[in-house]
Amino acid sequence: MSMRGEVDGGRMMRAPAVRELDVGALGRTISARRWWVIGPALACFVAALLFVSLVSPRYTAESKVLVENGENYFTRPDRSDQLATTLPDDEAVQSQIQLIQSRDIARQAIRRLDLKGNAEFDPLAKGIGVFSRAAILLGLERDPTATSPEDRILANYYDRLTVYSVPKSRVIAIEFTATDPDLAARAANTIAELFIEAQSAAKRDSASSAAASLASLVTDLRSRVADAEAKADAYRTQSGLLQGSNNAVISTQQLGDLNAQLAQARTAQADAQAKAKVIKAMIAQNRVGEIPDVANNEFIRRLSEQRATLKAEIALQSRTLLPGHPHMQELNAQMADVDAQLRAAGEKMARTLENDGHIAAGRVDNLLAALDAQKKTVGTAGVDQVRLNQLDSQARLLKDQLEFNTSKYQEALARENAASTPADARVISRAAAPQLPSFPKKLPIIAIATIAGLVLSLGVLVARELLSGRAFADEAEQPAAGTVAVLDPAAPRAGTDAAGEAAREAEGEASLAATLDGLRSLRAQNHAARALVVPPSARAEAPAAVIALARRLCADGRTILVDCNGRRPAVEPRHLSLDSYGSSDAPPLGLGELLTGDASFAEVIHRDSQSRLHVIPAGSLGTGAADLDAIKLVLDALGETYDYVVLHAPAPTDPVTLRLAPDCDAVVMVHGGDAAADLASGRAALARAGGPAAVHAVPAAALDMPLATRRAA
């Protein structure tokens, strides 16, 4: 990866400085300025007290309405009791709320409550003010005199009306607010009554419109039914499909009658033939007297009695007379004559029955012929019957429609003319005049206003302290009490006594504190502070002091030490212990490899094992200023990630230092305490090279001592 790409990537690693909130200092500030908090709270308390004392109280009355199905078993036309499936749902309840808030009910309520002229609702009750007239002339407000009394009161009416549904129920609460508690109660009850009346009127209007539409429909159906029945009767007469009893067609009835007659004729034929056959069989067996039909004949009965008498006489005479006796022969001749008469009577009866059978057979043949002819007639009339059935079905359907719509029409007329139509709602709680005002709630308003003033003033004070930075504890800003004797080269020595030694230590600490404050001020300008640390002359060097200064800056933010002194580098194992130093003898990669593109930022940035300091060794950096051509890109990239960039460079007269000085914010000269001339010449060289105006001189002794030792001292 090239050095420029690493520079761009390094800019994404910026992290803000970590500063802790000093709660104790913030509390002391609030305690010191407590009247800044108490004063606004008291002002809010007094203002709220005056407000609740001067404002006119308002009273809120509430009326509750239950939305339900007003129909019952007695009012339903079909006398059904399926109320569970017709109960209003949430959408129906919300629709009823919109009806209550409609302008029609609002206008009726305004008229019924006589709100015209009421100063609380009517804008014209007190006349039009000057400002209102000006706004009307400018077109900013509507002229109330140009509207009806109800319309100009609507705005105030809706401001005082609240309608909402009670959760998990079909109850609608109607609240009305007014300065007069009786007016508030009357308004809530009046709106509920108007809502129920509007529902009843809507049902009556619906019944009226239904009756009007059904009237024309019934009239049309009556004419259509008459036409359909007339067409059916005309076609029935034309096709001969006249109806007899039981609404059956005559041809069909005739066919049934022929079938019945045919069955009777066949029965008579079979009966006559059977009787004749039986009679012939009994005649052949000489059992004529046993035939039922023969025995019932008067002539046959007399012959049978005569035969019985002769048979008895023959039996009586045979006791004394022989068969050849003339009297016995006469009796036998009489018996034979009687038997012949009986046989002749039986044969005559048989022939009579056979003739009846022949007559019945002829009748059967005639009926069969007539039945066949009637079948043909009925078959021919089938097509006509289908057409006739269609006409009858159409007429019957129209008649059913006429009956149904006539019934609905009568019901609609009854509902239209009814004096009271059940509404789908009823009042379950009427409003009463409230005793306590709903506005203002004195105690809550005073408490909330006071707490709001207290919180607001406290928040402003805390925000001011946070934005100014005074509420944050800064470890680096704490004064460090040192025991090292440091002398400003421009100051006279105080001697070798203890007092002079303490004075020199104090002066050194003061110069170090001024240097750190200067670097913090540069960091406070929202960019990384670049500090160029140099010795006052080419003869001097202070790598330990450079490292100590960089470690000291770690307390304020993320700090990186860049070693730009190839001749006398500060980042060496004898001066600084890095995590990358191991058993390998090869020196770590550094700034030289980064500038040539042989290494990336991740490869050249190392960490101090004894602090949070990050360092970039000099590496293969040359001793000429030409080797630092790309140093500005490196500094920009490091400035996006770190808060302080410390550059270790040679003496102020060195070309490398003169090349780096214009890109830095401050120069720190670390001296040994007796280099006043070198410091002056170094400042002059940096000024000629266009270096920064901030040049600090810090004694090396003030930095060489570890921070823990200085604080312990």
Side-chain angles (χ1 to χ4, degrees):
M1 180 181 295
S2 66
M3 184 270 295
R4 184 178 296 273
E6 290 294 334
V7 169
D8 294 337
R11 294 179 181 175
M12 303 302 294
M13 301 169 56
R14 183 177 182 86
V18 178
R19 304 179 70 187
E20 296 182 357
L21 179 65
D22 191 348
V23 180
L26 186 60
R28 289 190 296 271
T29 302
I30 295 175
S31 177
R33 302 183 180 182
R34 55 185 175 274
W35 286 107
W36 286 34
V37 179
I38 299 175
L42 290 176
C44 292
F45 172 79
V46 174
L49 184 62
L50 292 175
F51 174 76
V52 298
S53 301
L54 298 178
V55 71
S56 299
R58 294 181 182 179
Y59 298 86
T60 300
E62 181 185 64
S63 177
K64 292 183 178 180
V65 176
L66 175 62
V67 180
E68 60 183 359
N69 193 337
E71 300 289 351
N72 52 41
Y73 176 80
F74 299 100
T75 59
R76 283 180 176 271
D78 51 359
R79 295 293 189 270
S80 62
D81 195 19
Q82 299 178 352
L83 297 179
T85 59
T86 58
L87 290 177
D89 52 9
D90 293 339
E91 288 77 8
V93 174
Q94 294 300 322
S95 300
Q96 301 301 334
I97 291 177
Q98 297 301 319
L99 175 60
I100 296 174
Q101 295 176 335
S102 65
R103 289 181 176 270
D104 294 338
I105 292 183
R107 292 187 178 95
Q108 295 178 16
I110 291 172
R111 288 193 294 268
R112 188 170 296 185
L113 295 172
D114 194 19
L115 297 181
K116 180 182 178 181
N118 191 320
E120 184 179 359
F121 296 93
D122 193 351
L124 294 182
K126 296 182 179 180
I128 303 177
V130 177
F131 294 103
S132 298
R133 292 182 183 276
I136 293 172
L137 292 176
L138 295 175
L140 301 178
E141 291 184 6
R142 187 177 180 181
D143 188 2
T145 59
T147 60
S148 62
E150 294 83 3
D151 290 339
R152 68 170 177 261
I153 298 174
L154 282 177
N156 293 327
Y157 168 85
Y158 281 120
D159 289 341
R160 307 300 175 87
L161 175 65
T162 302
V163 184
Y164 62 92
S165 61
V166 179
K168 297 182 180 180
S169 68
R170 299 191 305 277
V171 177
I172 298 176
I174 303 173
E175 293 183 353
F176 198 85
T177 303
T179 55
D180 184 3
D182 295 331
L183 176 60
R186 285 193 301 110
N189 293 328
T190 300
I191 294 171
E193 294 170 357
L194 289 173
F195 165 62
I196 294 176
E197 292 176 3
Q199 281 199 336
S200 299
K203 284 191 173 183
R204 288 194 296 270
D205 293 342
S206 177
S208 177
S209 60
S213 61
L214 287 173
S216 59
L217 181 60
V218 167
T219 303
D220 180 64
L221 284 175
R222 283 176 180 172
S223 61
R224 292 175 63 186
V225 168
D227 294 341
E229 290 180 348
K231 289 181 180 179
D233 293 340
Y235 190 80
R236 184 180 291 108
T237 303
Q238 179 183 357
S239 59
L241 299 175
L242 301 177
Q243 292 181 349
S245 61
N246 298 326
N247 294 327
V249 181
I250 293 179
S251 59
T252 304
Q253 288 184 353
Q254 290 176 352
L255 182 61
D257 294 342
L258 288 176
N259 281 325
Q261 293 177 10
L262 178 61
Q264 293 175 0
R266 285 178 175 174
T267 301
Q269 179 185 6
D271 186 31
Q273 291 177 353
K275 287 181 178 180
K277 184 177 181 180
V278 171
I279 290 173
K280 288 182 179 180
M282 296 183 73
I283 291 174
Q285 296 175 5
N286 198 17
R287 297 168 56 191
V288 177
E290 297 179 2
I291 301 173
D293 292 337
V294 175
N296 293 332
N297 192 296
E298 183 66 23
F299 176 71
I300 298 300
R301 188 167 54 252
R302 287 197 304 269
L303 289 178
S304 297
E305 292 175 356
Q306 186 178 358
R307 186 176 183 280
T309 302
L310 289 175
K311 189 174 182 179
E313 183 67 21
I314 290 173
L316 180 63
Q317 294 298 328
S318 63
R319 294 178 181 178
T320 58
L321 298 177
L322 294 173
H325 188 274
H327 185 65
M328 290 296 293
Q329 290 180 352
E330 182 181 2
L331 290 174
N332 287 330
Q334 290 179 357
M335 178 65 73
D337 184 56
V338 171
D339 289 338
Q341 290 182 1
L342 286 174
R343 186 178 296 108
E347 292 177 350
K348 182 178 179 182
M349 181 64 67
R351 286 193 299 272
T352 301
L353 291 174
E354 287 179 350
N355 292 333
D356 291 341
H358 292 311
I359 294 172
R363 186 179 179 186
V364 167
D365 294 338
N366 292 334
L367 288 174
L368 286 174
L371 184 62
D372 292 338
Q374 189 64 28
K375 286 182 179 180
K376 293 179 180 180
T377 302
V378 172
T380 304
V383 178
D384 296 335
Q385 184 65 41
V386 171
R387 174 59 179 166
L388 179 61
N389 291 339
Q390 292 179 351
L391 295 175
D392 288 339
S393 176
Q394 184 176 3
R396 185 168 55 256
L397 179 61
L398 292 174
K399 190 173 182 180
D400 293 341
Q401 292 180 359
L402 176 61
E403 293 177 356
F404 177 79
N405 287 286
T406 301
S407 175
K408 293 296 182 181
Y409 175 65
Q410 297 298 331
E411 294 171 2
L413 286 178
R415 286 174 174 267
E416 179 185 5
N417 299 325
S420 176
T421 303
D424 291 337
R426 60 186 175 92
V427 178
I428 61 174
S429 177
R430 293 185 62 83
Q435 302 298 322
L436 298 177
S438 59
F439 178 83
K441 301 291 185 181
K442 295 185 178 181
L443 290 180
I445 290 177
I446 294 174
I448 292 173
T450 304
I451 294 173
L454 183 65
V455 171
L456 182 61
S457 58
L458 184 62
V460 171
L461 181 58
V462 172
R464 179 181 176 182
E465 294 298 315
L466 293 176
L467 293 176
S468 64
R470 292 189 294 269
F472 293 97
D474 198 343
E475 182 181 0
E477 294 179 359
Q478 298 176 359
T483 59
V484 179
V486 181
L487 292 178
D488 191 336
R493 296 188 176 272
T496 58
D497 54 358
E501 188 70 20
R504 286 191 294 272
E505 291 177 1
E507 291 174 358
E509 289 295 329
S511 62
L512 177 59
T515 301
L516 295 176
D517 289 340
L519 296 177
R520 290 191 193 105
S521 63
L522 295 174
R523 176 67 189 92
Q525 296 176 6
N526 200 22
H527 71 278
R530 302 174 186 177
L532 182 64
V533 183
V534 298
S537 64
R539 301 183 305 274
E541 63 177 3
V546 174
I547 296 172
L549 177 62
R551 287 176 176 173
R552 185 63 181 265
L553 291 174
C554 287
D556 290 343
R558 302 193 63 183
T559 306
I560 186 169
L561 172 59
V562 182
D563 197 346
C564 301
N565 193 343
R567 297 187 183 90
R568 299 176 182 179
V571 183
E572 289 184 347
R574 61 191 178 92
H575 299 306
L576 184 64
S577 177
L578 300 181
D579 292 340
S580 58
Y581 287 161
S583 59
S584 176
D585 296 335
L589 300 177
L591 183 60
E593 288 78 10
L594 179 63
L595 294 177
T596 58
D598 297 333
S600 63
F601 276 98
E603 294 173 335
V604 302
I605 296 177
H606 308 276
R607 178 163 182 172
D608 180 16
S609 60
Q610 298 180 5
S611 67
R612 297 186 300 168
L613 177 64
H614 289 182
V615 298
I616 298 180
S620 61
L621 182 66
T623 59
D627 297 331
L628 301 175
D629 290 339
I631 191 64
K632 187 177 188 322
L633 295 176
V634 175
L635 296 179
D636 291 340
L638 294 177
E640 295 293 332
T641 305
Y642 296 93
D643 299 318
Y644 298 99
V645 180
V646 180
L647 304 176
H648 177 227
T653 57
D654 191 279
V656 174
T657 303
L658 297 177
R659 169 65 182 85
L660 294 174
D663 296 328
C664 296
D665 299 319
V667 176
V668 180
M669 292 186 184
V670 181
H671 58 87
D674 54 356
D678 293 337
L679 289 174
S681 62
R683 285 192 177 95
L686 292 173
R688 290 192 299 270
V695 178
H696 303 278
V698 179
L703 291 169
D704 287 341
M705 184 174 291
L707 182 60
T709 303
R710 296 148 65 92
R711 289 185 176 177

